Amino acid sequence: MPRGLVALAVGGFGIGLTEFLIAGLLPQVAAGFAVSEAAAGRLISGYAVSVAVGAIALTAATARLPRKHVLVGLVVLFVLGNLLSAIAPSYPVMLLGRIVAALCHGSFFGIGSLVARSLVAPERASRAVAVMFAGLTVANVLGVPFGALVGERWGWRAAFWAVTVIGLLALVGIVAFVPSHVGQTPPTVPTGLRAQLGAFRSGQVWLTLVATALGYGGMFGAFSYIAYTFTEVGGFSSADVAWLLMVYGVGLVVGNLIGGRAADHDRDRALVLALVGLTVTLVVFGLLATSATASVVLVFLMGVFGFAGVPGMITRVTDYAHGAALAASANVSASNMGNALGAWAGGLAITAGLGYTAPLYVGAGIVLTAVFVMTVAAHRARPAVRQARASAVRR
């Protein structure tokens, strides 16, 4: 495994921790700044909005710069944001730190995925992306308990100091181990804003972005209310929710690695199967949510199938966008937009009195739409895929 890829994974881990650990620290942060729970919650929602905005804006602004230099700048921004959060004297400064740290999130994973795949042979591209995203999935497992544990022992500021140190380690690793020539944008890749936007003329790019948004949205629509499903339907205690979420996080790690390998073998088939698997899992989860044993197994499978498509979706959108970094970052924005859609739709179902299993069925319906979109995309791409394979055999 290239050491530069490990450095990217460390950066992904730090960024993932920043996103997730705040959930376990909200009570302490709210008490520390004497603000309401709702105001403290804006540290989460403000981060999410900034991710979506930063993914497009920063990628477009830095399109002509060497990718390694951009990654270094993004990690510096990440370190500064977390340092600002750690020393924040007031709530507005804390919120500013969260926004600054969030701006690098989407661009880091978008541009980082292009750098990751350039570090390995073409036939291992999706696996390389999966390794980089492994940091994010591990952070999903550890983020909330890490924040809660460190906050309980040394105070919430210590958690942000720890993430700042992780960011510095990632910065050193990227500077030392990502080769400079890898950081150069190939001459065949569009760099100007107009050329980058031209990549979105491809119907396959749009189909992939829509499938990403719907696939992520369906999973997140169910996940947003999964704690209520566990406690109100499955009979678990509130204390059980933490370890159940860790089971889900382990599923994300497993699905990410399996999905990367499967996508390198037959990407479109792997993506369709991942979405079908997620649809079936959510429906079965809704039917068996009263069973504690089934809930543990199904929340794990929800993580596996939910993240199995991520590496393939990113390599697919960048392939059809001819390597345009803006398309890679747009994929991250699409997943965040899907998260918002899914959470909104799941909340509507609960408000309508359909019960705490309703978000699972709503999520399944959204993912089923993604299956249709991805099937159409795969069918339309089949002639080009066959031609590419035939050319590879001739070579």
Side-chain angles (χ1 to χ4, degrees), residues 2-79:
R3 288 179 292 182
L5 203 51
V6 177
L8 291 174
V10 173
F13 176 67
I15 290 175
L17 277 182
T18 299
E19 180 178 13
F20 299 120
L21 65 79
I22 189 67
L25 297 172
L26 278 186
Q28 295 182 41
V29 173
F33 290 126
V35 297
S36 67
E37 290 83 354
R42 295 191 196 104
L43 298 173
I44 296 177
S45 58
Y47 186 97
V49 172
S50 299
V51 168
V53 173
I56 302 299
L58 287 183
T59 303
T62 59
R64 293 184 182 274
L65 301 178
R67 289 172 178 169
K68 178 177 178 178
H69 295 174
V70 175
L71 282 178
V72 169
L74 291 173
V75 178
V76 168
L77 196 64
F78 167 77
V79 170

Side-chain angles (χ1 to χ4, degrees), residues 60 63 188-206 209 317-327:
T188 56
V189 174
T191 55
L193 180 57
R194 181 176 296 180
Q196 291 262 326
L197 292 174
F200 292 92
R201 295 194 188 102
S202 168
Q204 287 290 347
V205 168
W206 282 106
L209 291 176
V317 77
T318 51
D319 280 350
Y320 283 107
H322 306 293
L326 190 59

